[in-house]
Amino acid sequence: MAKLFEPYTIGNVTLKNRIVMSPMCMYECSDEDGLVQDFHKIHYATRAVGQIGLIILEATAVQEEGRISPQDLGIWSDEHVNGLSELNRLMHDAGSKTGIQLAHAGRKAQLESNIYAPSAIAFSDEYKTPIEMTTDEINNTVEAFKKAAIRSKEAGFDVIELHGAHGYLINEFLSPLSNKRTDEYGGSAGNRYRFLSEVIDAVKGVFDGPLFVRISAKDYADGGMEPSDYIPMTQWMKEQGVDLIDVSSGAVVLARIPVFPGYQVPFAEKIKHETPIATGAVGLITSPLHAEEILQNDRADLVFLARELLRNPYWSYRAAKELGVDIEALNGSYQRGWK
Protein backbone atom coordinates (compact mmCIF):
# COMPACT_ATOMS: atom_id res chain seq x y z
CA MET A 1 0.00 0.00 0.00
CA ALA A 2 1.08 3.57 -0.60
CA LYS A 3 2.55 5.01 2.59
CA LEU A 4 0.15 7.96 2.35
CA PHE A 5 -2.69 5.60 3.18
CA GLU A 6 -1.00 3.63 5.94
CA PRO A 7 -2.43 4.14 9.45
CA TYR A 8 -0.23 6.23 11.71
CA THR A 9 -0.22 6.09 15.50
CA ILE A 10 0.98 9.08 17.48
CA GLY A 11 0.60 9.00 21.23
CA ASN A 12 -2.77 7.48 22.06
CA VAL A 13 -4.34 8.33 18.68
CA THR A 14 -4.28 6.31 15.46
CA LEU A 15 -4.98 8.11 12.19
CA LYS A 16 -6.44 6.06 9.33
CA ASN A 17 -4.02 7.71 6.88
CA ARG A 18 -1.23 10.29 6.88
CA ILE A 19 -3.22 13.10 5.28
CA VAL A 20 -3.75 16.12 7.53
CA MET A 21 -5.87 19.18 6.89
CA SER A 22 -3.64 22.06 7.90
CA PRO A 23 -5.12 24.83 10.06
CA MET A 24 -6.33 27.68 7.85
CA CYS A 25 -8.03 30.83 9.11
CA MET A 26 -11.57 31.12 7.82
CA TYR A 27 -12.67 34.46 9.41
CA GLU A 28 -16.32 33.36 9.42
CA CYS A 29 -17.52 34.15 12.96
CA SER A 30 -20.25 36.74 13.35
CA ASP A 31 -20.79 39.35 16.08
CA GLU A 32 -17.15 39.04 17.18
CA ASP A 33 -18.13 36.33 19.64
CA GLY A 34 -15.90 33.54 18.33
CA LEU A 35 -18.77 31.05 18.21
CA VAL A 36 -19.04 28.20 15.70
CA GLN A 37 -21.28 29.01 12.73
CA ASP A 38 -23.11 26.83 10.20
CA PHE A 39 -20.23 27.56 7.82
CA HIS A 40 -17.79 25.70 10.08
CA LYS A 41 -20.10 22.70 10.38
CA ILE A 42 -20.32 22.37 6.61
CA HIS A 43 -16.69 23.23 5.90
CA TYR A 44 -15.04 20.80 8.31
CA ALA A 45 -17.55 17.97 8.02
CA THR A 46 -17.15 17.98 4.24
CA ARG A 47 -13.41 17.35 4.57
CA ALA A 48 -14.14 14.50 6.96
CA VAL A 49 -16.50 12.98 4.41
CA GLY A 50 -13.55 13.32 2.02
CA GLN A 51 -11.62 10.86 4.24
CA ILE A 52 -8.93 13.15 5.67
CA GLY A 53 -7.08 11.34 8.46
CA LEU A 54 -6.71 14.34 10.77
CA ILE A 55 -8.50 17.67 10.51
CA ILE A 56 -7.01 20.56 12.52
CA LEU A 57 -9.26 23.55 13.06
CA GLU A 58 -8.17 27.04 12.18
CA ALA A 59 -6.27 29.23 14.65
CA THR A 60 -8.62 29.47 17.63
CA ALA A 61 -8.04 32.35 20.03
CA VAL A 62 -7.32 31.62 23.69
CA GLN A 63 -8.01 35.27 24.62
CA GLU A 64 -10.23 37.91 23.04
CA GLU A 65 -7.24 40.21 22.57
CA GLY A 66 -5.43 37.32 20.91
CA ARG A 67 -7.69 37.12 17.87
CA ILE A 68 -6.10 37.73 14.48
CA SER A 69 -9.35 39.34 13.38
CA PRO A 70 -12.76 40.01 14.96
CA GLN A 71 -14.12 37.05 12.95
CA ASP A 72 -11.81 34.42 14.47
CA LEU A 73 -13.03 31.29 16.20
CA GLY A 74 -12.61 31.46 19.96
CA ILE A 75 -12.02 29.18 22.90
CA TRP A 76 -11.56 31.81 25.60
CA SER A 77 -14.95 31.08 27.16
CA ASP A 78 -16.99 28.07 28.24
CA GLU A 79 -19.66 29.34 25.85
CA HIS A 80 -17.51 28.10 22.95
CA VAL A 81 -17.53 24.46 24.02
CA ASN A 82 -20.97 23.41 22.74
CA GLY A 83 -20.31 24.56 19.17
CA LEU A 84 -16.86 22.96 19.10
CA SER A 85 -18.35 19.73 20.49
CA GLU A 86 -20.85 19.67 17.63
CA LEU A 87 -18.02 20.15 15.13
CA ASN A 88 -16.22 17.20 16.67
CA ARG A 89 -19.33 15.02 16.48
CA LEU A 90 -19.74 15.75 12.79
CA MET A 91 -16.09 15.05 11.94
CA HIS A 92 -15.83 11.95 14.14
CA ASP A 93 -19.04 10.52 12.67
CA ALA A 94 -17.42 10.73 9.23
CA GLY A 95 -14.29 8.93 10.44
CA SER A 96 -11.71 11.68 10.89
CA LYS A 97 -9.61 12.40 13.95
CA THR A 98 -9.74 16.02 15.05
CA GLY A 99 -7.36 18.69 16.26
CA ILE A 100 -7.55 22.32 17.29
CA GLN A 101 -4.87 24.94 16.87
CA LEU A 102 -4.68 27.09 20.00
CA ALA A 103 -3.45 30.55 19.09
CA HIS A 104 -2.74 34.09 20.20
CA ALA A 105 -2.03 36.68 17.51
CA GLY A 106 0.22 38.94 19.58
CA ARG A 107 1.29 42.01 17.64
CA LYS A 108 -0.45 40.78 14.48
CA ALA A 109 -3.92 41.11 16.02
CA GLN A 110 -6.00 43.47 13.91
CA LEU A 111 -8.44 44.66 16.54
CA GLU A 112 -9.76 47.97 17.87
CA SER A 113 -8.68 47.09 21.41
CA ASN A 114 -5.16 47.08 22.83
CA ILE A 115 -2.87 44.38 21.50
CA TYR A 116 0.05 42.72 23.26
CA ALA A 117 3.46 41.31 22.38
CA PRO A 118 6.84 40.45 23.91
CA SER A 119 8.15 43.89 22.87
CA ALA A 120 6.48 47.15 21.85
CA ILE A 121 7.43 46.83 18.17
CA ALA A 122 4.79 47.00 15.42
CA PHE A 123 4.83 44.30 12.75
CA SER A 124 4.69 46.98 10.03
CA ASP A 125 3.45 50.50 9.41
CA GLU A 126 0.00 49.06 8.73
CA TYR A 127 -0.26 47.46 12.19
CA LYS A 128 -0.76 48.96 15.64
CA THR A 129 2.13 49.17 18.06
CA PRO A 130 1.55 46.53 20.74
CA ILE A 131 1.90 46.93 24.48
CA GLU A 132 4.89 45.06 25.92
CA MET A 133 3.55 42.29 28.13
CA THR A 134 4.24 42.38 31.84
CA THR A 135 5.16 39.21 33.70
CA ASP A 136 1.62 39.08 35.09
CA GLU A 137 0.17 39.35 31.57
CA ILE A 138 2.48 36.56 30.41
CA ASN A 139 1.30 34.39 33.31
CA ASN A 140 -2.33 35.18 32.51
CA THR A 141 -1.80 34.17 28.90
CA VAL A 142 -0.18 30.88 29.91
CA GLU A 143 -3.24 30.27 32.09
CA ALA A 144 -5.48 31.10 29.10
CA PHE A 145 -3.76 28.39 27.04
CA LYS A 146 -4.29 25.97 29.93
CA LYS A 147 -8.01 26.76 30.18
CA ALA A 148 -8.31 26.49 26.39
CA ALA A 149 -6.74 23.02 26.56
CA ILE A 150 -9.27 21.99 29.21
CA ARG A 151 -12.10 23.20 26.95
CA SER A 152 -10.50 21.42 23.97
CA LYS A 153 -10.57 18.16 25.90
CA GLU A 154 -14.17 18.77 26.99
CA ALA A 155 -15.16 19.46 23.36
CA GLY A 156 -13.67 16.13 22.27
CA PHE A 157 -10.57 17.04 20.26
CA ASP A 158 -8.06 14.22 19.74
CA VAL A 159 -5.06 16.50 19.18
CA ILE A 160 -3.98 19.98 20.26
CA GLU A 161 -1.59 22.07 18.19
CA LEU A 162 0.06 25.19 19.60
CA HIS A 163 0.50 27.92 17.01
CA GLY A 164 4.13 28.93 17.35
CA ALA A 165 4.55 30.15 13.77
CA HIS A 166 3.73 32.90 11.28
CA GLY A 167 4.65 35.81 13.52
CA TYR A 168 1.98 35.27 16.16
CA LEU A 169 2.61 35.53 19.89
CA ILE A 170 4.59 32.34 20.59
CA ASN A 171 6.66 32.91 17.45
CA GLU A 172 7.25 36.51 18.54
CA PHE A 173 8.81 35.28 21.77
CA LEU A 174 10.99 32.73 19.95
CA SER A 175 12.49 35.07 17.34
CA PRO A 176 15.14 37.65 18.26
CA LEU A 177 13.70 39.90 15.54
CA SER A 178 10.51 40.47 17.54
CA ASN A 179 11.69 39.77 21.09
CA LYS A 180 13.91 42.51 22.49
CA ARG A 181 13.17 41.86 26.16
CA THR A 182 15.92 42.05 28.76
CA ASP A 183 14.19 39.96 31.44
CA GLU A 184 13.94 36.16 31.79
CA TYR A 185 11.77 35.98 28.63
CA GLY A 186 14.30 37.59 26.29
CA GLY A 187 17.91 37.46 25.19
CA SER A 188 19.25 33.89 25.07
CA ALA A 189 17.55 31.09 23.17
CA GLY A 190 16.59 29.50 26.47
CA ASN A 191 14.96 32.70 27.69
CA ARG A 192 13.11 33.27 24.40
CA TYR A 193 11.85 29.68 24.63
CA ARG A 194 10.60 30.16 28.20
CA PHE A 195 7.08 31.33 27.26
CA LEU A 196 6.49 28.35 24.95
CA SER A 197 7.96 26.04 27.59
CA GLU A 198 5.46 27.30 30.16
CA VAL A 199 2.58 26.94 27.71
CA ILE A 200 3.60 23.37 26.86
CA ASP A 201 3.79 22.40 30.53
CA ALA A 202 0.42 24.02 31.24
CA VAL A 203 -1.28 22.22 28.35
CA LYS A 204 0.37 18.86 29.05
CA GLY A 205 -0.86 19.11 32.62
CA VAL A 206 -4.51 18.99 31.56
CA PHE A 207 -4.51 17.23 28.16
CA ASP A 208 -3.27 13.68 27.61
CA GLY A 209 -3.67 13.48 23.83
CA PRO A 210 -0.96 14.16 21.24
CA LEU A 211 0.50 17.67 21.32
CA PHE A 212 1.80 19.32 18.14
CA VAL A 213 3.66 22.61 17.83
CA ARG A 214 3.69 24.58 14.59
CA ILE A 215 6.90 26.56 14.09
CA SER A 216 8.28 28.98 11.52
CA ALA A 217 11.61 27.27 10.95
CA LYS A 218 13.12 30.17 9.00
CA ASP A 219 12.58 33.93 9.31
CA TYR A 220 14.10 34.82 5.90
CA ALA A 221 15.77 37.90 7.41
CA ASP A 222 19.22 38.82 8.71
CA GLY A 223 19.55 37.99 12.38
CA GLY A 224 16.44 35.83 12.35
CA MET A 225 15.85 32.18 13.14
CA GLU A 226 17.20 29.42 10.91
CA PRO A 227 16.31 25.71 10.97
CA SER A 228 19.58 24.95 12.81
CA ASP A 229 18.56 27.43 15.54
CA TYR A 230 15.37 25.45 16.09
CA ILE A 231 17.09 22.10 16.67
CA PRO A 232 17.84 22.80 20.36
CA MET A 233 14.32 24.14 20.82
CA THR A 234 12.68 21.13 19.18
CA GLN A 235 14.83 18.91 21.40
CA TRP A 236 13.48 20.81 24.41
CA MET A 237 9.95 20.37 23.06
CA LYS A 238 10.49 16.63 22.73
CA GLU A 239 11.78 16.44 26.30
CA GLN A 240 8.62 18.23 27.46
CA GLY A 241 6.41 15.68 25.72
CA VAL A 242 5.59 17.32 22.39
CA ASP A 243 4.73 14.60 19.88
CA LEU A 244 5.14 16.32 16.50
CA ILE A 245 6.53 19.51 14.99
CA ASP A 246 4.40 21.03 12.22
CA VAL A 247 7.09 22.76 10.17
CA SER A 248 6.17 25.99 8.39
CA SER A 249 8.24 29.15 7.93
CA GLY A 250 8.22 32.93 7.67
CA ALA A 251 5.90 35.81 8.61
CA VAL A 252 7.49 37.02 11.85
CA VAL A 253 8.76 40.03 9.88
CA LEU A 254 8.15 41.30 6.37
CA ALA A 255 10.46 39.33 4.07
CA ARG A 256 10.76 38.02 0.55
CA ILE A 257 10.10 34.26 0.64
CA PRO A 258 10.98 32.00 -2.30
CA VAL A 259 7.82 29.92 -2.69
CA PHE A 260 7.54 26.73 -4.74
CA PRO A 261 6.02 23.25 -4.23
CA GLY A 262 7.63 21.65 -1.20
CA TYR A 263 9.74 24.69 -0.32
CA GLN A 264 9.43 23.95 3.42
CA VAL A 265 9.93 20.18 3.25
CA PRO A 266 13.73 20.35 3.79
CA PHE A 267 13.08 22.12 7.10
CA ALA A 268 10.76 19.31 8.23
CA GLU A 269 13.33 16.74 7.13
CA LYS A 270 16.14 18.43 9.06
CA ILE A 271 14.14 18.72 12.27
CA LYS A 272 12.83 15.15 11.96
CA HIS A 273 16.31 13.64 11.78
CA GLU A 274 18.39 16.03 13.87
CA THR A 275 16.06 16.39 16.86
CA PRO A 276 14.86 13.60 16.24
CA ILE A 277 11.08 13.97 16.43
CA ALA A 278 8.07 13.30 14.23
CA THR A 279 7.31 16.11 11.80
CA GLY A 280 4.59 17.28 9.46
CA ALA A 281 5.49 18.77 6.08
CA VAL A 282 3.45 21.64 4.67
CA GLY A 283 3.73 24.17 1.87
CA LEU A 284 2.19 24.00 -1.60
CA ILE A 285 1.92 20.23 -1.53
CA THR A 286 -0.79 19.42 -4.07
CA SER A 287 0.29 16.29 -5.94
CA PRO A 288 -0.34 12.79 -4.51
CA LEU A 289 2.98 11.64 -5.95
CA HIS A 290 4.76 14.51 -4.20
CA ALA A 291 3.07 13.61 -0.91
CA GLU A 292 4.06 9.99 -1.33
CA GLU A 293 7.67 10.94 -2.15
CA ILE A 294 7.94 12.94 1.09
CA LEU A 295 6.82 9.94 3.13
CA GLN A 296 8.71 7.24 1.21
CA ASN A 297 11.97 9.18 1.52
CA ASP A 298 11.41 9.66 5.27
CA ARG A 299 11.37 13.45 4.97
CA ALA A 300 8.33 13.76 7.27
CA ASP A 301 5.79 11.57 9.01
CA LEU A 302 2.58 13.34 8.01
CA VAL A 303 1.64 15.49 5.02
CA PHE A 304 -0.32 18.67 5.77
CA LEU A 305 -2.50 20.01 2.95
CA ALA A 306 -3.94 23.51 3.02
CA ARG A 307 -5.25 25.36 -0.03
CA GLU A 308 -5.53 22.16 -2.05
CA LEU A 309 -8.24 21.02 0.36
CA LEU A 310 -10.09 24.29 -0.18
CA ARG A 311 -10.16 23.47 -3.87
CA ASN A 312 -10.91 19.78 -3.49
CA PRO A 313 -12.30 18.36 -0.23
CA TYR A 314 -12.18 14.90 -1.84
CA TRP A 315 -8.43 15.02 -2.53
CA SER A 316 -7.99 11.69 -0.73
CA TYR A 317 -10.08 10.00 -3.42
CA ARG A 318 -7.94 11.54 -6.16
CA ALA A 319 -4.76 10.50 -4.34
CA ALA A 320 -5.96 6.94 -3.90
CA LYS A 321 -6.74 6.63 -7.61
CA GLU A 322 -3.35 8.02 -8.64
CA LEU A 323 -1.46 5.80 -6.18
CA GLY A 324 -3.46 2.66 -7.01
CA VAL A 325 -5.08 2.29 -3.60
CA ASP A 326 -8.69 1.32 -2.87
CA ILE A 327 -10.24 3.29 -0.02
CA GLU A 328 -13.74 3.14 1.36
CA ALA A 329 -16.08 6.08 0.96
CA LEU A 330 -18.23 7.27 3.85
CA ASN A 331 -21.25 5.21 2.80
CA GLY A 332 -22.80 3.28 -0.08
CA SER A 333 -24.14 6.38 -1.79
CA TYR A 334 -20.68 7.92 -2.04
CA GLN A 335 -19.09 4.59 -2.87
CA ARG A 336 -21.04 4.53 -6.17
CA GLY A 337 -19.07 7.60 -7.26
CA TRP A 338 -15.74 6.43 -5.89
CA LYS A 339 -15.59 3.14 -7.78
Side-chain angles (χ1 to χ4, degrees):
M1 177 182 280
K3 198 165 186 178
L4 188 64
F5 288 97
E6 289 180 356
Y8 182 73
T9 298
I10 186 161
N12 57 6
V13 172
T14 297
L15 311 180
K16 64 185 174 186
N17 59 48
R18 297 184 186 227
I19 306 167
V20 181
M21 181 174 174
S22 190
M24 291 175 279
C25 292
M26 293 290 108
Y27 307 119
E28 289 291 340
C29 291
S30 60
D31 301 324
E32 301 187 22
D33 56 16
L35 294 173
V36 167
Q37 304 296 304
D38 286 345
F39 167 85
H40 300 102
K41 298 174 186 178
I42 296 167
H43 173 67
Y44 288 111
T46 300
R47 275 73 194 170
V49 171
Q51 300 301 292
I52 302 302
L54 172 64
I55 297 172
I56 305 180
L57 262 60
E58 62 207 75
T60 306
V62 301
Q63 291 178 311
E64 284 190 82
E65 62 268 29
R67 292 170 293 165
I68 300 167
S69 81
Q71 287 73 46
D72 282 13
L73 267 183
I75 196 167
W76 66 80
S77 166
D78 291 343
E79 294 179 2
H80 296 112
V81 174
N82 284 343
L84 294 169
S85 296
E86 176 65 4
L87 275 187
N88 269 298
R89 184 188 69 79
L90 293 168
M91 291 184 284
H92 283 146
D93 284 354
S96 292
K97 298 298 184 182
T98 64
I100 185 169
Q101 187 184 66
L102 301 183
H104 190 298
R107 70 178 184 172
K108 294 181 81 173
Q110 295 184 293
L111 306 171
E112 294 298 324
S113 59
N114 289 333
I115 64 173
Y116 299 85
S119 301
I121 306 169
F123 175 69
S124 73
D125 292 342
E126 297 179 0
Y127 284 74
K128 294 168 65 171
T129 298
I131 296 170
E132 182 171 309
M133 298 172 74
T134 65
T135 302
D136 284 344
E137 287 164 343
I138 290 173
N139 292 336
N140 289 340
T141 304
V142 172
E143 182 67 16
F145 273 96
K146 178 181 177 179
K147 290 179 178 177
I150 292 171
R151 295 183 187 111
S152 298
K153 182 176 181 178
E154 183 179 349
F157 288 99
D158 302 299
V159 171
I160 286 177
E161 176 169 285
L162 301 177
H163 199 348
H166 302 164
Y168 300 125
L169 185 66
I170 293 174
N171 191 191
E172 292 164 18
F173 272 95
L174 295 175
S175 176
L177 299 178
S178 48
N179 183 349
K180 303 297 183 182
R181 300 178 73 95
T182 57
D183 63 2
E184 67 270 30
Y185 291 95
S188 69
N191 281 1
R192 286 183 280 112
Y193 179 77
R194 189 182 306 275
F195 175 65
L196 174 55
S197 175
E198 292 176 356
V199 171
I200 291 170
D201 283 345
V203 170
K204 290 288 293 182
V206 297
F207 183 78
D208 58 3
L211 180 62
F212 297 2
V213 177
R214 171 165 276 194
I215 64 169
S216 279
K218 184 178 179 67
D219 288 344
Y220 302 97
D222 291 343
M225 295 289 285
E226 297 287 338
S228 57
D229 297 318
Y230 266 103
I231 298 300
M233 291 186 177
T234 53
Q235 290 170 343
W236 297 335
M237 292 180 213
K238 181 179 180 180
E239 290 168 4
Q240 288 186 265
V242 171
D243 297 280
L244 180 140
I245 308 298
D246 173 4
V247 187
S248 189
S249 67
V252 75
V253 294
L254 294 173
R256 186 179 296 276
I257 301 175
V259 175
F260 50 88
Y263 71 104
Q264 296 170 150
V265 175
F267 308 151
E269 184 175 14
K270 181 179 180 70
I271 288 167
K272 173 178 169 60
H273 293 288
E274 293 188 26
T275 301
I277 194 170
T279 61
V282 65
L284 295 186
I285 300 168
T286 62
S287 160
L289 286 174
H290 186 193
E292 184 68 9
E293 178 274 321
I294 291 166
L295 298 173
Q296 288 287 356
N297 286 318
D298 200 26
R299 307 180 74 191
D301 299 276
L302 298 174
V303 175
F304 284 59
L305 301 181
R307 296 176 195 178
E308 185 65 11
L309 288 180
L310 297 181
R311 292 184 283 266
N312 182 6
Y314 306 109
W315 186 88
S316 295
Y317 166 69
R318 171 197 164 194
K321 288 296 183 183
E322 289 193 19
L323 297 174
V325 177
D326 289 326
I327 61 172
E328 293 295 320
L330 174 65
N331 57 35
S333 297
Y334 271 80
Q335 196 69 32
R336 288 188 304 229
W338 283 31
K339 288 296 186 183

